[in-house]
Amino acid sequence: MLFKQQALLRQKLFVLGSLAIGSLLYLVARVGSLDRLQPLCPIDGRFGPHAQDEIPLRALQFKRGLLHEFRKGNATKEQIRLHNLVQQLPKAIIIGVRKGGTRALLEMLNLHPAVVKASQEIHFFDNDENYAKGIEWYRKKMPFSYPHQITIEKSPAYFITEEVPERIYKMNSSIKLLIIVREPTTRAISDYTQVLEGKERKNKTYYKFEKLAIDPNTCEVNTKYKAVRTSIYTKHLERWLKYFPIEQFHIVDGDRLITEPLPELQLVEKFLNLPPRISQYNLYFNATRGFYCLRFNIVFNKCLAGSKGRIHPEVDTSVITKLRKFFHPFNQKFYQITGRTFNWP
């Protein structure tokens, strides 16, 4: 009799345990579903002063689920209308610079629940063929978002392309512009390294950096070499200042974004008038990669592509010294114009 009672008790406990686990799994799935589909509250007046301390960043609610289907083109017009989703022109653009950390900056800003990124470089303003397709073509290249969110795109070629400032001004004269820079010589070598890797993949030969960066006839810095020219930041910025006041630009320290990203991201949040939402919780250092990776929530992490952080070839120290001496006066003028000083040689 005792054995039968014990067996019956074990059976009841098993059933109750199964029900509890099933209920828990249902709640987890339900919360995850709601987190993906529930629209974010409008920014203004909806965030308490300590909201970021109360809950982890809920960035996935517009990056997964339904919005993912919209990006793949699987949503109907009725679904789009029902969820009040739109394709908005960007309110901020990362205009450059190439090899300054534009991709890292865009992905990190995408941690913010009020930011939606364009996944690909659109090259609308720097490509005559694309530009001729019109602003509506450009808008339809943007991701779906909720009306209160801001869309950001990045195309590093914008910064150095002569026609771009006027074209962007005609679209939106009050747009916010982000420029991320690195120490000019390091950036030039990184630029060279990316091109070199592309040549090697195609089994093609390529000149050494020293031969491209230094004019063999004069032994001076070769300003016709694009990697050098791009690093003369002040020359390009002066062209932009013909259309936009300096207050519409924010300069991001690309070197610091690698080693200490959070303070740089907080400055960008402030510039974009966003409530502070990106925290140290969202950034963790990957010792294997040697870079910070992104944590959207407890189950979704992301590291940048393996192509980031390429090992640079060794460059003759005399060439590095010559380049740094060449860039120095341009750097000083850049500090003066932007109001931001860097510890560049």
Side-chain angles (χ1 to χ4, degrees):
M1 185 67 177
L2 180 62
F3 289 118
K4 286 183 179 181
Q5 289 178 341
Q6 289 177 340
L8 184 61
L9 180 61
R10 283 197 297 270
Q11 186 176 5
K12 288 181 178 179
L13 289 174
F14 175 78
V15 171
L16 290 172
S18 299
L19 288 171
I21 292 171
S23 299
L24 180 61
L25 290 173
Y26 170 78
L27 287 172
V28 169
R30 180 64 176 162
V31 170
S33 175
L34 289 174
D35 201 38
R36 289 191 297 271
L37 298 180
Q38 195 173 40
L40 290 166
C41 294
I43 294 172
D44 296 335
R46 300 298 290 271
F47 295 106
H50 305 293
Q52 68 266 36
D53 298 326
E54 295 169 3
I55 57 172
L57 190 67
R58 299 171 63 191
L60 284 189
Q61 56 194 342
F62 62 90
K63 293 180 180 67
R64 299 177 67 189
L66 190 60
L67 284 182
H68 180 64
E69 293 301 309
F70 291 165
R71 290 194 190 99
K72 294 192 302 182
N74 294 340
T76 65
K77 289 183 179 180
E78 179 60 23
Q79 286 176 313
I80 294 170
R81 185 196 63 77
L82 182 64
H83 291 276
N84 199 29
L85 293 167
V86 290
Q87 287 173 293
Q88 305 182 81
L89 290 171
K91 295 179 182 175
I93 300 179
I94 301 172
I95 59 174
V97 301
R98 173 181 162 92
K99 305 314 298 173
T102 57
R103 173 56 61 183
L105 177 60
L106 183 68
E107 295 292 344
M108 288 178 178
L109 289 178
N110 196 44
L111 287 164
H112 198 291
V115 171
V116 181
K117 69 178 177 71
S119 298
Q120 303 297 323
E121 293 178 10
I122 310 301
H123 289 287
F124 176 64
F125 298 103
D126 66 307
N127 184 298
D128 291 341
E129 185 178 337
N130 287 342
Y131 190 68
K133 295 174 183 176
I135 203 72
E136 189 62 17
W137 177 88
Y138 179 55
R139 187 180 65 81
K140 288 188 176 180
K141 291 291 182 182
M142 295 300 132
F144 283 97
S145 63
Y146 296 111
H148 70 273
Q149 293 174 316
I150 68 169
T151 298
I152 298 180
E153 79 125 321
K154 74 102 175 174
S155 293
Y158 289 168
F159 186 59
I160 64 171
T161 304
E162 190 171 339
E163 299 82 5
V164 170
E166 183 179 5
R167 289 175 174 179
I168 292 181
Y169 180 84
K170 287 179 178 178
M171 178 192 73
N172 182 358
S173 61
S174 62
I175 197 166
K176 293 180 180 289
L177 302 164
L178 294 163
I179 304 171
I180 180 167
V181 294
R182 296 191 67 192
E183 191 277 313
T185 301
T186 301
R187 195 222 63 82
I189 296 172
S190 181
D191 197 328
Y192 166 83
T193 304
Q194 177 171 294
V195 176
L196 175 65
E197 185 181 274
K199 297 285 186 182
E200 289 176 342
R201 281 200 303 266
K202 297 176 182 178
N203 293 319
K204 293 182 177 180
T205 58
Y206 196 48
Y207 295 109
K208 291 188 69 174
F209 176 79
E210 292 87 340
K211 191 169 183 178
L212 294 168
I214 305 298
D215 188 324
N217 298 318
T218 63
C219 293
E220 297 299 326
V221 173
N222 179 16
T223 55
K224 293 182 180 179
Y225 178 38
K226 187 176 180 180
V228 168
R229 214 165 54 243
T230 299
S231 284
I232 308 175
Y233 304 139
T234 185
K235 290 291 186 183
H236 305 294
L237 182 59
E238 285 172 346
R239 186 171 58 251
W240 284 85
L241 290 173
K242 293 177 183 178
Y243 296 91
F244 299 96
I246 193 62
E247 292 77 20
Q248 281 177 234
F249 296 87
H250 178 73
I251 310 301
V252 179
D253 185 341
D255 294 308
R256 191 184 184 202
L257 192 73
I258 295 172
T259 59
E260 195 180 3
L262 184 58
E264 286 299 313
L265 295 173
Q266 290 172 333
L267 289 173
V268 178
E269 284 180 322
K270 186 176 181 180
F271 172 70
L272 296 177
N273 296 319
L274 293 171
R277 287 295 174 273
I278 303 174
S279 69
Q280 199 61 57
Y281 167 83
N282 306 112
L283 302 160
Y284 67 96
F285 188 76
N286 186 313
T288 304
R289 297 287 304 280
F291 284 92
Y292 277 87
C293 294
L294 316 180
R295 180 186 290 115
F296 288 90
N297 65 13
I298 197 169
V299 296
F300 184 58
N301 301 338
K302 180 178 182 179
C303 287
L304 296 178
S307 61
K308 304 301 177 185
R310 297 178 181 89
I311 297 175
H312 293 178
E314 289 188 17
V315 177
D316 189 292
T317 54
S318 65
V319 171
I320 291 177
T321 301
K322 187 182 286 287
L323 282 167
R324 286 178 172 170
K325 185 177 180 181
F326 168 80
F327 286 126
H328 183 75
F330 296 111
N331 295 342
Q332 296 301 311
K333 192 171 184 179
F334 185 71
Y335 303 159
Q336 184 181 5
I337 292 172
T338 63
R340 183 152 196 191
T341 303
F342 300 97
N343 296 319
W344 296 340

